[in-house]
Structure formats: structure tokens, C-alpha cells
Amino acid sequence: MARAQGARAQMALAFETTYGTPPASGFTKMPFASTTLGAEQPLQTSELLGYGRDPQAPIKDAVTADGNVVVPIDAEAFGFWLKAAFGAPTTTGADAPYTHEFRSGSWALPSFSVETAMPEVPRFAMYAGCMVDSLNWQMARSGLLTATASIVAQGEAIATTSAAGSPTNIALKRFGHFNGAITRNGLSIGNVVSADLTYANNLDRIETIRADGKIDGADPSIAALTGNVVVRFADQTLVTQAINGDACELEFSYTLPTGESLTLTAHAVYLPRPRIEISGPQGVQATFDWQAASDPVVGRMCTVTLTNDREDY
């Protein structure tokens, strides 16, 4: 008997025309490192009395379908997750390379279907009505560069054959931490040890009464772009900004030697006043837990620009 192995698992994604209805075609094979995406349905313990000490049969509760997908930040496939998180991009370029600009604040976020496959069992799980609740990644000096997409789905359907057909393959071109840079108001920030950023749609699940126990949808509420920057304390620039309550523009970017690039620009970032601790003889570090807000000039909170050879998303 074949046993399930993560090394043989596959994932395919396609955007939906109708929420909760997987498309018949158009799936793309997605690279991923791990996933907790799944559906669960807890049991409600019987509260009835008069039947002795042994309880009566439990009752099924509502279905919850959600989880995280850890994906590589690459030059092409990552654009699908950006579209799911921010909405459809504005694409420019008459020929390759193309520039895809994703903007925060869209009320119309696309839903998509994801199929996770374990062919050796066989088990093919289709998650329909998926939407990205948040997208998070860290910047560091070394290691593998990945992002975590937190997903809210409507439900799960299990089958013994794939409903995704033959998904389109993507040529993988990964960004690495070595390709990263951080700037403040257009100038490089020195002494940065690490950085963390999270874009959240703060989805509001529409939990109506249904015979199948699924949700009716998920509406985006007030978005948030937050994170932190850990720096070796060398000057007062960031502390002064925090004390004065001023905003700055932070830009987190990656560029490959072949020309592909990814840039997230937070247009109006506010810094809290940090505690500066001297914990020993080593270098002194300061952590700034920043928050972004809508910039009155640009008219939005952030812009993500992806440059690659893909014509559209």
C-alpha cells in the first residue's frame, strides 16, 4: 500500500469567476514548502440528561476551512499570491519585461481555488472560495526566503482524481536574502539586522445559516501593513523620527542579476519610540515595531511592484 509522502505532494491554483465554484480549467502548478490548509468540523458533546452516566451521540458543528501556505518568494509564481492579497495588478510594458503594480486598499479581492494532491493515496483536496487573509515574510542576512499566506476558504471537497487537470508549470526563479535591500526615503538604511512585514486584509467571515455548514464568503475590512526593523544602534535618525511622530517611506526590495525584481513600498510609515537597552558588552540593538498608514499624497498605504517576463496575472 502506498503511503503519503510530503515530497510527492503537489499544489495547483486558479482564480474563480464565481465565489466558491472551482473553475474547470486554468490551474497553475504552485511551488510551496508546506501547508496547513484544511477543513475541520468539531463535535458538540451532548448535554442531555436522563440517559444515565454515558453520554448520547455528539452533534456535528460548523465547518471551518483555513490554514497557511508557505511559498518561495520568486519572480513569477509569487505574483499569484500578490494578486490574491491585493487584487488584480496594473501591468505595463509592450514586451518583456513586464511591470505589475499591486496597490493596497482594493475592496474587490479575487477568490481562488486550491487543490492539494497526494497522488499515491490517492487524495485530491479541492479548497474553493479561498481568499488571502494576510501575507507575511521576513528579511534576514541568510537563509531561505519564503512568505506565509494565511488563507480563509469556504470548504473542502475530497476526491480520488484531480479536478485541476494538467496545471501549467512555472519556471522557478527564486529571490534570496542576498538580493534584498531596505531604504528609508530613498536612502539605504545601515545597520539593519532583520526586518519583518505583514500585510493583512482582516477578512470578516460571513457566517450565515446554511445546510452545509460553510461560510457565505469573506469580506475585507480595514487593511493593515505592520512589521518591525531591528537595527544596530548607531545614530539617532529613527529615534528622532519616532519622537517627532513623523512619517517616512520604507522600501523593501529584491533584485536578481537577470533583471527580475520585487519591491514593496510603504508610503507612510510611523515608528514607535523604542526602549534602548544595554544588555551586555555586545552591540546595542533597537527594535522599531512600525505601522503604515494611507499616504495623503499617493492616496494609498503601499504599492508592490513585480517585474518579470509574465505578461499578465
Side-chain angles (χ1 to χ4, degrees):
M1 177 183 293
R3 295 176 175 82
Q5 291 183 323
R8 298 185 62 184
Q10 299 177 5
M11 177 179 290
L13 179 151
F15 288 97
E16 299 172 346
T17 302
T18 303
Y19 175 81
T21 303
S25 60
F27 281 84
T28 302
K29 187 176 180 179
M30 302 300 294
F32 73 106
S34 64
T35 179
T36 61
L37 185 60
E40 58 183 0
Q41 187 174 24
L43 298 175
Q44 294 284 356
T45 303
S46 175
E47 83 287 17
L48 299 179
L49 306 176
Y51 294 92
R53 290 187 61 235
D54 294 335
Q56 296 299 293
I59 305 299
K60 289 184 177 181
D61 204 354
V63 176
T64 300
D66 55 20
N68 297 330
V69 180
V70 179
V71 299
I73 297 182
D74 73 312
E76 186 171 343
F78 194 59
F80 287 89
W81 300 108
L82 291 175
K83 178 181 177 179
F86 292 92
T90 300
T91 301
T92 57
D95 200 355
Y98 300 95
T99 299
H100 312 279
E101 186 178 275
F102 303 85
R103 298 181 175 184
S104 64
S106 173
W107 288 103
L109 298 180
S111 65
F112 56 96
S113 294
V114 172
E115 184 184 76
T116 57
M118 290 180 279
E120 68 277 11
V121 175
R123 182 183 190 272
F124 297 86
M126 179 66 76
Y127 301 95
C130 293
M131 297 184 71
V132 168
D133 190 28
S134 66
L135 195 61
N136 162 268
W137 73 86
Q138 294 82 39
M139 298 183 74
R141 185 175 183 273
S142 62
L144 294 173
L145 179 59
T146 59
T148 300
S150 179
I151 295 174
V152 172
Q154 185 186 45
E156 175 189 66
I158 307 297
T160 56
T161 58
S162 174
S166 299
T168 304
N169 287 316
I170 285 181
L172 187 64
K173 286 187 177 181
R174 294 187 69 169
F175 294 106
H177 287 294
F178 180 75
N179 309 118
I182 303 175
T183 63
R184 174 185 177 274
N185 292 335
L187 301 176
S188 179
I189 301 179
N191 301 298
V192 176
V193 177
S194 64
D196 180 285
L197 56 157
T198 300
Y199 180 79
N201 284 310
N202 292 314
L203 297 178
D204 179 25
R205 302 180 193 225
I206 306 174
E207 298 178 330
T208 57
I209 299 173
R210 294 171 51 125
D212 56 10
K214 298 178 180 179
I215 62 174
D216 256 355
D219 290 338
S221 59
I222 299 298
L225 178 60
T226 59
N228 65 62
V229 176
V230 180
V231 298
R232 282 295 183 105
F233 193 61
D235 59 59
Q236 298 272 37
T237 302
L238 297 182
V239 174
T240 300
Q241 177 189 331
I243 294 174
N244 293 338
D246 298 328
C248 72
E249 181 182 86
L250 289 183
E251 185 177 279
F252 307 87
S253 62
Y254 303 92
T255 303
L256 292 177
T258 50
E260 295 83 359
S261 65
L262 171 67
T263 302
L264 184 147
T265 304
H267 299 291
V269 172
Y270 295 85
L271 306 175
R273 183 170 179 168
R275 184 190 300 271
I276 307 298
E277 298 181 353
I278 303 173
S279 56
Q282 291 83 14
V284 176
Q285 293 186 173
T287 300
F288 295 86
D289 295 313
W290 54 268
Q291 299 179 30
S294 178
D295 182 86
V297 177
V298 181
R300 56 185 176 275
M301 180 169 58
C302 70
T303 304
V304 183
T305 304
L306 179 64
T307 302
N308 57 24
D309 291 336
R310 188 178 185 88
E311 186 172 0
D312 61 72
Y313 283 97

